[in-house]
Every structure is written in C-alpha cells, then in structure tokens.
Amino acid sequence: EAGVVQSPRYKIIEKKQPVAFWCNPISGHNTLYWYLQNLGQGPELLIRYENEEAVDDSQLPKDRFSAERLKGVDSTLKIQPAELGDSAVYLCASSLVRDSGLFFGEGSRLTVL
Amino acid sequence: AQSVTQPDIHITVSEGASLELRCNYSYGATPYLFWYVQSPGQGLQLLLKYFSGDTLVQGIKGFEAEFKRSQSSFNLRKPSVHWSDAAEYFCAVGRKSGNEKLTFGTGTRLTIIP
C-alpha cells in the first residue's frame, strides 16, 4: 500500500514569491491534515479536512495561506506571498477512522530567501 | 488546552543499553497518546499508541510505552537500543473523541554511541 505522497520534497524561493505543495493521502483515508514543522520543533496543525470540508483551520494564517481538497482526495497548500519566516517543513498526514493514528508523508521543505 | 512536555531535548545512549524517553501531558479528559519517530529528512512514523485498556502498550521496533494517569506520563522505553534507533522522537496527545487535532511535544533527539 502506498503511503502519503508529497511534492515537491524541497523548494527554494525568494520572499514574496508564491509556492504550492501537493499531497496525495493513503487511498481511502477521509481525513487529511497539513502540519507545519519548524526546525527543532514538533509539528503544529495548520488545517484538517474531513473529506472535502475544512473542519479545523483555526491555525491557518489566512492572509497568505490557503488550502483546498477538491473531491476529497488530493490536497494543495498554497502560500502567497511567502515570507522569510515561512521557511519550514510542511507535513501532510492522513487517517482512515478514529483510533487509527495519523500517517505522515515525508514532508516538503521550504526555504525562503 | 492540551499540551505535551518532553523534558529531554537530547539524549545519548550506548548501543545495547536501555532507553527511556519522558513525556508528560496536560489534558482535561482521557487522552489518546502517541509516540512518533522521525529520521533526518523523513516524515513521522507511528511507533505506538494508547487509547484505552492495558496501560503498557507495545509498538514497532521493540518499543513500548506505559501510560500512568496519576503522573500524566507516557514514557517510551526500549530494553536494548540499536544504532538505527538514532532519530527524533515525538510524543503527542489527542482528544478521545477521534480524529482531531494532535498536539506534539518539541521532541527528543536520540544519539547512539558505539
């Protein structure tokens, strides 16, 4: 069974440029998460989807961040414009049902110059 | 609000020695508890989880953890570490109502020396 797939793995951009990250969850997993992991820190939730619906986006900086999960499968996280402080790893995770735990992708490492 | 404290930022252990990584949580109800491991440049892999029942849970790679409600702790243990166990370990707490927000600790970096 394929795991959570994320792309790109690495992205280097200049500040004020846009960037987008893509996530393909494990097949059949209805819940999808985007987490932010700063260097030396644990992951912090940005947004959680149940199928197509964003059920928790309270930690998503909506002035520059946006996300979508069309058709309840793949998801895209966008930052526009990027700032220096956005340099971090963006992790996608998915889960099937409660009690199963989250399954993480390898992450997308963003460097903003 | 839920929170997780991992008091040890970095631990160094000799190969073959035993290991215990500490985790304390703060939560107003019965929590779901998790341990994840992250190798450099990789995502997080679930080691084990506690939802209910037996307070000693077994996980992958020979790890186990014990839930102690009285101490609000969920420490991770391994009787004999291998060089491949060198990684970052994260404890996380979630709400018992299901797939909701997990709150992670800041992690403990484990170094294995020969």
Side-chain angles (χ1 to χ4, degrees), chain A residues 9-101:
Chain A
R9 288 292 314 279
Y10 304 93
K11 188 73 175 179
I12 301 173
I13 61 173
E14 294 189 346
K15 63 180 181 181
K16 301 186 181 180
Q17 295 300 306
V19 64
F21 305 112
W22 174 81
C23 174
N24 178 241
I26 293 173
S27 178
H29 281 197
N30 60 319
T31 307
L32 184 146
Y33 311 74
W34 282 102
Y35 277 83
L36 165 69
Q37 186 176 24
N38 286 305
L39 187 65
Q41 300 295 315
E44 300 172 22
L45 181 68
L46 288 173
I47 189 168
R48 175 171 68 95
Y49 282 93
E50 293 285 350
N51 300 305
E52 301 91 352
E53 182 182 2
V55 296
D56 184 356
D57 63 355
S58 57
Q59 303 301 312
L60 190 71
K62 298 180 183 63
D63 57 335
R64 298 183 300 107
F65 286 65
S66 65
E68 60 182 10
R69 191 184 184 196
L70 301 177
K71 301 181 181 179
V73 181
D74 296 358
S75 177
T76 302
L77 177 70
K78 298 178 182 178
I79 308 174
Q80 183 170 8
E83 297 179 351
L84 295 176
D86 296 331
S87 295
V89 176
Y90 294 83
L91 294 165
C92 180
S94 68
S95 62
L96 177 57
V97 295
R98 63 180 62 186
D99 303 353
S100 67

Side-chain angles (χ1 to χ4, degrees), chain B residues 43-62:
Chain B
L44 280 75
Q45 181 183 20
L46 180 65
L47 283 176
L48 48 77
K49 59 192 177 189
Y50 171 78
F51 291 151
S52 64
D54 192 346
T55 56
L56 184 63
V57 294
Q58 303 296 321
I60 62 172
K61 304 185 180 185

